[in-house]
């Protein structure tokens, strides 16, 4: 465990992390994850985080070394899409039993790796450590090393057992494994001055494919996306990119920064959510590439593309502006960066009445303040009960959140829209923004709202016309009319 | 008679099985005003919660002791105590139900002892029931966790000396394979014989997808603690599913009441046996509506047998569901060509199939080639696509269709609808003949005629 704990410490020391910069050495040693409160905690474990970060690599066999809970309860449940191999959606687990717990599971793991290679012939196997074998002392690094030598292909230990910390820590530990064992291990056949990496984008609902055509038109090649719709080879060759964009700031900062350090790949932090942010990201990509040797004419082409696509997007959004203007949004999210969604919503004239900032950095919060003004309601921890109250009291017209809190809104009979990883719609880039606006409009104006808030005929009517529920139904009707 | 085999593979591929702790947690979710909690790392809870949210499309009350590496090594007392007190101070539930996980079982935490100590240190917990169940992930499967938890719920809550006997009261112990709709149907059947069933647990009160007046972090319905405590007044213990045998027999003995276990309630004969038993037990005739429903089921069998006859089916399900669905399909003329399950059960060797494998969906996929119908939980979707055969989702989880909780497969009505579902799935994948379908073999005279389908 000594190597794992030193890796964890190393991740805690990450200088690229905004939060870390404001900490004393002692605070930094304690780590970035808040002590979890038993009986009042929510969210995934480090293993979950590692799996989220790496599973989008589509042609790799992702093998979970642990009891059935870790894979059996959760496999094939994420929305990362693939343009090729579907192997990443196959659930592999050693499903350890009592004997493995007592006598150790290393032999079973070794055999499991052999079975996977024999049957599925993947370019690489990722082996995920989990709590029990970590506790009983299965040395997965040694097993993976032996398997790599025996089978002549990469077998990579992902050392992020659940009990070392949060999902976010798991994202970073997964990144460390890529840096240590994958990135820089293969050379691309050709490189161009227009090669970039996109880091921290998982192609959920196919969002990468909303952005890729823009880059294609500019002649910019995604050498590797880490890890959405990626192939193992692409990640292994990603050290030859000229520039990088870091998409989800907290998840993969260590990968991005260390690739700059080791391979001299400059990066910027950007977002594909919102028209303004999308354009800004394209400009930054062009700027960095030009700095690293791409022809300066790239910028003019980029600006032309931006002008054309922005105009197209705004034209598509125009019909929705009036009905959505002034609608109040409660934004509860950690999966995508709050400030970039806030900006996106404000672009179309919606009002964000509150946002959760549980996973945002100090810098993120500052940005939210700049965008929303000083009175912005930022909730560090918004309890479901509080969300329910805000919605029930009609202090917001719609809640945007991840799937787990959706029923808080729905049970309050208020519109809700998914903005997290399980969502079914893709919201990236210009087309994605148009889709998001369309979905917002659909959610807010669905004719069910008036009906579901109606009392049953046998329930005594104590409501008056100006009580929140009735008033709300009336405003929904107005939206419908508009 | 079937041979029961365990898969010999080192690597499970595309798991069919889910873990004991979440089976246990689901059982706790059928009790009112309850907070289930897993004693393990927070991921154990997060995975379970996401799974149930996607299946039920409901908020899921499920907490965690949030064990870290250090806490695990040092022992989980502090985390158990903090978790109980945090839940208590936030929502004061009637019941806190705790399931262990592989992690804390490996360490060997004495959770019963921790809970006793917690009670001693916090007398305010006097009115809160604390129920602990041992459910290691590395043993058994989902339905074992459910069964073990129901047994513990009864052992902790049912009071002795028994309340005065109520002739109409029936303690009903449904297996974890029954849906909300199944439970509602069974309740309606029992009530129509003048009986008063108390379901332990009762998901139809909590996870039936209703809209409560106010927000609650605990369960929003289910059987009340007092009703379970007063089960000593029951005159009959009725269980559905072999998994409930231990709990049913314990309760029967504890309250000195007769025990009736139905291994399944799907199919004509199976439902007939239920009706005959209830008529006998209650002394009332079978209500007219069930005579009518029986006739409808008979008609559905007549209409459906054209499709089900000779149909080769591959099923992946937990033992009780596999048994119920498998036997009924066999009674409809289907051939059970492949059966894969998750855990041991005395039912398995009686299945009308050559071999039952305790394995995974990769095993089922290998055996399902050439089958006409696949029945398993939603994770069968990838293999159904590859095999290009119709796919009927049954079991848990079903995360890619709505209304999983309201799928009925119990009683005459449920059996009737099940036939329609199976037949419709087959019809939708109907085979269109083409001109060369019946082309003669090269040396037609030399070979005996063979079935071509």
């Amino acid at each position: 465990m000594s190597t794992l704990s030193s890796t964890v410490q190393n991740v805690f020391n990450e200088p690229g992390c905004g939060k870390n910069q404001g900490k004393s050495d002692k605070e930094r040693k304690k780590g970035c994850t808040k002590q979890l409160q038993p009986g009042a905690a929510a969210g995934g474990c480090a293993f979950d985080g590692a799996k989220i970060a790496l599973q989008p690599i589509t042609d790799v066999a992702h093998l979970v070394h642990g009891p059935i809970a870790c894979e059996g309860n959760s496999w094939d449940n994420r929305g990362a899409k693939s343009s090729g191999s579907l192997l990443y959606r196959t659930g592999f687990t050693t499903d350890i039993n009592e004997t493995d717990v007592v006598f150790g599971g290393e032999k079973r793991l070794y055999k499991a790796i052999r079975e996977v290679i024999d049957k599925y012939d993947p370019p690489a196997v990722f082996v995920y450590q989990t709590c029990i074998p970590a506790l009983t002392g299965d040395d997965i690094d040694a097993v993976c090393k032996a398997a790599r030598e025996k089978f002549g292909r990469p077998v990579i230990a992902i050392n992020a057992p659940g009990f070392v910390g949060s999902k976010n820590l798991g994202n970073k530990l997964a990144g460390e494994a890529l840096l240590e064992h994958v990135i820089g291990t293969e050379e691309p056949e050709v490189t161009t001055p227009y090669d970039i990496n996109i880091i921290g984008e998982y192609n959920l609902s196919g969002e990468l494919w909303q952005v890729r055509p823009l880059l294609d038109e500019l002649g910019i090649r995604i050498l590797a996306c880490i890890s959405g719709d990626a192939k193992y080879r692409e990640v292994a060759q990603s050290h030859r990119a000229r520039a990088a964009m870091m998409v989800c700031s907290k998840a993969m900062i260590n990968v991005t920064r260390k690739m700059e350090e080791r391979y001299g790949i400059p990066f910027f932090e950007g977002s594909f959510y919102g028209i303004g942010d999308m354009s800004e990201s394209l400009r930054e990509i062009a700027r960095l590439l030009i700095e690293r040797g791409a022809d300066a004419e790239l910028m003019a082409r980029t600006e032309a593309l931006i002008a054309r696509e922005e105009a197209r997007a705004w034209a598509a959004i125009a019909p929705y502006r009036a009905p959505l203007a002034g609608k109040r949004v409660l934004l509860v999210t950690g999966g995508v960066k709050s400030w970039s969604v806030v900006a996106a919503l404000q672009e179309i004239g919606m009002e964000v009445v509150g946002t959760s900032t549980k996973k945002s950095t100090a810098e993120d919060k500052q940005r939210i303040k700049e965008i929303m003004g000083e009175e912005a309601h930022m909730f560090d921890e918004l309890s479901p009960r509080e969300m329910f109250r805000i919605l029930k009291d009609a202090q917001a017209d719609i809640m945007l959140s991840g799937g787990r809190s959706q029923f808080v809104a729905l049970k309050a009979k208020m519109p809700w829209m998914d903005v997290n990883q399980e969502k079914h719609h893709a919201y990236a880039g210009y087309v994605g923004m148009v889709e998001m606006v369309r979905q917002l409009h659909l959610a807010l104006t669905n004719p069910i709202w008036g009906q579901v808030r109606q009392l049953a005929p046998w329930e005594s009517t104590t409501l008056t016309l100006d009580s929140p529920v009735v008033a709300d139904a009336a405003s929904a009707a107005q939206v419908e009319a508009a | 008679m079937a041979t029961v085999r365990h898969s010999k593979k080192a690597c499970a591929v595309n798991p069919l099985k889910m873990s004991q702790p979440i089976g246990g947690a689901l059982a706790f979710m059928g009790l009112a005003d309850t907070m289930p909690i897993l004693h393990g790392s927070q991921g154990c809870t997060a995975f379970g919660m996401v799974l149930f949210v996607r299946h039920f499309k409901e908020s899921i009350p499920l907490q965690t002791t949030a064990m870290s590496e250090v806490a695990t090594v040092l022992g989980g007392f502090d985390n158990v105590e903090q978790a109980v007190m945090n839940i208590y101070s936030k929502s004061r539930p009637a019941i806190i139900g705790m399931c262990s996980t592989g992690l804390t079982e490996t360490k060997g935490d004495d959770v019963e002892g921790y809970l006793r100590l917690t009670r001693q240190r916090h007398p305010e917990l006097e009115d809160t029931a604390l129920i602990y169940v041992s459910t290691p992930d590395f043993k058994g499967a989902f339905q074992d966790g459910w069964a073990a938890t129901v047994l513990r719920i009864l052992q902790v809550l049912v009071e002795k000396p028994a309340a005065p006997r109520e002739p109409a009261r029936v303690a009903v112990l449904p297996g974890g394979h029954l849906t909300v709709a199944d439970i509602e149907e069974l309740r309606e059947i029992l009530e129509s014989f003048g009986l008063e069933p108390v379901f332990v647990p009762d998901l139809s009160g909590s996870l039936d997808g209703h809209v409560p007046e106010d927000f609650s972090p605990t369960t929003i319905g289910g059987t009340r603690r007092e009703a379970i405590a007063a089960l000593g007044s029951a005159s009959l213990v009725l269980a559905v599913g072999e998994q409930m045998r231990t709990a049913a027999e314990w309760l029967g003995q504890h309250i000195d009441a007769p025990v009736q276990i139905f291994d399944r309630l799907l199919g004509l004969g199976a439902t007939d046996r239920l009706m005959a038993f209830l008529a006998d037990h209650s002394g009332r005739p079978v209500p007219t509506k069930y005579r009518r429903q029986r006739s409808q089921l008979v008609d559905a069998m007549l209409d459906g047998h054209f499709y089900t006859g000779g149909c080769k089916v591959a099923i992946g399900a937990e033992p009780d569901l596999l048994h119920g669905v498998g036997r009924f399909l066999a009674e409809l003329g289907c051939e059970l060509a492949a059966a894969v399950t998750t855990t041991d059960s005395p039912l398995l060797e009686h299945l009308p199939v050559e071999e039952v494998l305790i394995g995974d969906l990769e095993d089922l996929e290998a055996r399902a080639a050439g089958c006409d119908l696949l029945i398993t939980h939603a994770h069968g979707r990838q293999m159904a696509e590859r095999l290009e055969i119709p796919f009927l989702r049954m079991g848990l989880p079903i995360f890619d269709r709505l209304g999983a909780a309201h799928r009925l497969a119990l009683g005459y009505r449920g059996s009737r609808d099940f036939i329609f579902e199976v037949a419709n799935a087959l019809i939708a994948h109907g085979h269109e003949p083409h001109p060369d379908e019946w082309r003669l073999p090269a040396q037609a005279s030399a070979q005996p005629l063979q079935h071509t389908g």
Side-chain angles (χ1 to χ4, degrees), chain A residues 38-39 75 91 93 115 120 411, chain B residues 10 12 14 57 64 86 210 362 379:
Chain A
W75 67 283
T93 176
E115 285 177 11
Y120 295 89
K411 299 291 184 192
Chain B
N14 295 336
K57 312 278 186 280
T64 172
N86 267 330
H210 65 285
E362 184 193 52
H379 281 302

Side-chain angles (χ1 to χ4, degrees), chain A residues 345-456:
Chain A
L345 295 170
Q346 290 190 331
E347 278 178 354
I348 50 168
M350 296 181 81
E351 185 191 340
V352 179
V353 293
T355 183
S356 72
T357 47
K358 194 176 150 200
K359 296 189 188 175
S360 306
T361 60
E363 201 187 336
D364 286 339
K365 287 184 190 172
Q366 192 48 44
R367 264 163 164 149
I368 293 171
K369 265 196 189 142
E370 280 162 23
I371 297 167
M372 289 172 53
E374 285 296 322
E375 294 106 276
H377 280 284
M378 280 191 260
F379 303 95
D380 242 354
E381 193 78 69
L382 193 57
S383 75
R385 198 192 289 275
E386 182 64 6
M387 287 179 216
F388 186 81
R389 193 195 56 75
I390 291 173
L391 292 162
K392 198 83 179 171
D393 293 353
Q395 291 172 17
D397 298 304
I398 186 168
M399 181 162 96
L400 272 52
S401 73
R404 247 188 291 184
S405 47
Q406 72 170 291
F407 303 103
V408 176
L410 297 180
K411 299 291 184 192
K413 299 176 182 172
M414 291 299 283
W416 172 83
M417 200 175 90
D418 201 343
V419 288
N420 265 16
Q421 53 166 333
E422 305 92 354
K423 68 184 187 300
H424 297 291
H425 300 283
Y427 298 140
Y430 302 106
V431 279
M433 189 61 195
V434 174
E435 180 60 21
M436 181 162 143
V437 169
R438 197 178 81 87
Q439 291 295 334
L440 275 167
H441 184 256
L442 283 174
L444 278 160
T445 61
N446 193 295
I448 66 154
W449 298 118
Q451 300 166 64
V452 299
R453 291 170 194 149
Q454 204 73 241
L455 289 176

Side-chain angles (χ1 to χ4, degrees), chain B residues 75-90:
Chain B
F77 171 70
D78 289 344
N79 287 55
V80 168
E81 182 188 39
Q82 276 179 44
V84 168
M85 295 319 293
N86 267 330
I87 292 168
Y88 174 80
S89 61
K90 274 197 179 151

Side-chain angles (χ1 to χ4, degrees), chain B residues 342-356:
Chain B
T342 58
T343 181
D344 279 310
S345 163
L347 294 173
L348 300 179
E349 59 186 84
H350 301 293
L351 276 168
V353 58
E354 259 177 50
E355 172 197 278
V356 181

